[in-house]
Amino acid sequence: MLDRLNLYLDLIRWNRPAGWLLLLWPTLAALWVASGGFPGWHLLAVFTLGTILMRSAGCCINDVADREFDKHVKRTAQRPITSGKVGVKEALAVGAVLALAAFGLVLTTNAVTIAWSFAALAVTLAYPYAKRFVSMPQAVLGVAFSFGIPMAFAATQGEIPPLAWGMLLGNLFWVLAYDTEYAMVDRDDDLKIGMKTSAITLGRWDVAAITAFYVIYLAVWAALLAPLMPSAGRWLMWAGLAVALGQVVWHVWLIKDRSREGCFKAFRLNHWLGFSVFVGVAVSSALA
């Protein structure tokens, strides 16, 4: 029983929290913006636990969809499904249970959030298959990983204003940046098996494009959020963005030679960039 549990934990990447942290920080930032400050313990718990559960369910779906491809990629060949330690039906059952648990949390919010949760699920299900047909599937992932933003506004305000969609668009560029770094790690293997990724599509422009994606993300969020922050605390938001920009410079340095180690390290540390932006927004909002 314990061995099975360990396999399930490996399946959902429990020992690699960076994945769900990448989803959590923009979602929490949106909660703080939509609420004009601390959103309350109920919504904080719903969106934190919901993010962890849906990311874990997404891992199950992704690994089932990619099980044949993953056999040919060094980094993924020993994943539970690919190695045959966990069956396809079993993995889908685990994913379904996790998704239903997340939906149970959504049911404690409001009708608008519940309705939009189905759209979020649809994008989550579509992403693994986008890699077969879309030259930059990271854009689809960007929508999936950013959907907590409009849902945070829906849960807080009962509607999704243009601001939420603007924040989603900006955050999509951050996902493009860090997931292209991730794709650069597997580029050689992906070329052999015919997988489509942004790292392959961008080619020699990959580093320049990643830099631009980071800058666009921070610029969009700065333009949207700066006018909303109280004048007394606005400098704190700018400080958070400045720390994030400093990390962008570091990440570009890490990936400039396109080494597997440098690209993977840059990807893994991206959650600190998101955390810096969130802290700047949250602390600034607290001074309203």
Side-chain angles (χ1 to χ4, degrees):
M1 187 67 181
L2 184 59
D3 289 343
R4 213 73 201 149
L5 177 60
N6 287 331
L7 279 174
Y8 293 158
L9 292 176
D10 190 23
L11 175 65
I12 65 173
R13 325 275 204 271
W14 184 255
N15 62 335
R16 282 163 281 177
W20 57 262
L21 288 171
L22 290 171
L23 284 78
L24 182 64
W25 299 132
T27 300
L28 292 188
L31 263 182
W32 255 257
V33 172
S35 303
F38 181 61
W41 292 109
H42 169 239
L43 287 181
L44 180 59
V46 165
F47 279 90
T48 300
L49 294 175
T51 295
I52 296 171
L53 288 167
M54 280 308 297
R55 188 262 180 172
S56 299
C59 289
C60 298
I61 297 165
N62 185 77
D63 286 5
V64 167
D66 286 352
R67 62 190 184 279
E68 296 302 324
F69 291 105
D70 285 348
K71 293 177 181 178
H72 306 285
V73 179
K74 300 180 187 72
R75 186 180 50 80
T76 59
Q78 295 306 311
R79 284 179 173 174
I81 300 173
T82 309
S83 63
K85 296 175 183 176
V86 175
V88 170
K89 291 182 179 178
E90 186 179 9
L92 290 175
V94 172
V97 169
L98 294 168
L100 284 172
F103 185 62
L105 292 171
V106 174
L107 289 176
T108 69
T109 57
N110 58 36
V112 177
T113 312
I114 293 169
W116 277 102
S117 70
F118 290 100
L121 178 62
V123 179
T124 300
L125 293 173
Y127 166 67
Y129 300 96
K131 289 176 277 188
R132 281 101 167 136
F133 309 107
V134 182
S135 60
M136 289 190 63
Q138 281 69 22
V140 181
L141 183 70
V143 176
F145 271 32
S146 304
F147 226 93
I149 294 171
M151 289 187 66
F153 276 86
T156 305
Q157 301 182 1
E159 62 178 0
I160 302 178
L163 171 63
W165 298 115
M167 290 177 67
L168 182 149
L169 178 63
N171 198 72
L172 187 153
F173 282 97
W174 181 38
V175 180
L176 280 173
Y178 66 65
D179 208 55
T180 301
E181 292 172 344
Y182 193 49
M184 288 168 72
V185 178
D186 299 329
R187 177 157 41 195
D188 293 343
D189 293 325
D190 288 338
L191 281 167
K192 293 175 185 176
I193 61 179
M195 186 73 80
K196 297 178 184 295
T197 73
S198 56
I200 292 171
T201 300
L202 292 168
R204 64 190 182 92
W205 297 102
D206 50 3
V207 176
I210 288 169
T211 305
F213 294 153
Y214 275 128
V215 172
I216 292 171
Y217 156 58
L218 294 176
V220 169
W221 272 45
L224 290 173
L225 300 184
L228 304 178
M229 295 296 117
S231 56
R234 192 172 298 149
W235 68 273
L236 293 166
M237 191 205 77
W238 286 112
L241 292 173
V243 172
L245 185 59
Q247 291 175 68
V248 168
V249 174
W250 181 34
H251 289 188
V252 173
W253 175 262
L254 287 172
I255 68 173
K256 65 180 177 61
D257 297 324
R258 301 177 174 84
S259 68
R260 285 178 181 263
E261 296 76 14
C263 293
F264 193 52
K265 183 176 183 179
F267 165 75
R268 285 190 301 105
L269 296 175
N270 257 278
H271 65 92
W272 289 110
L273 192 155
F275 176 70
S276 301
V277 175
F278 163 67
V279 170
V281 171
V283 176
S284 180
S285 299
L287 298 180

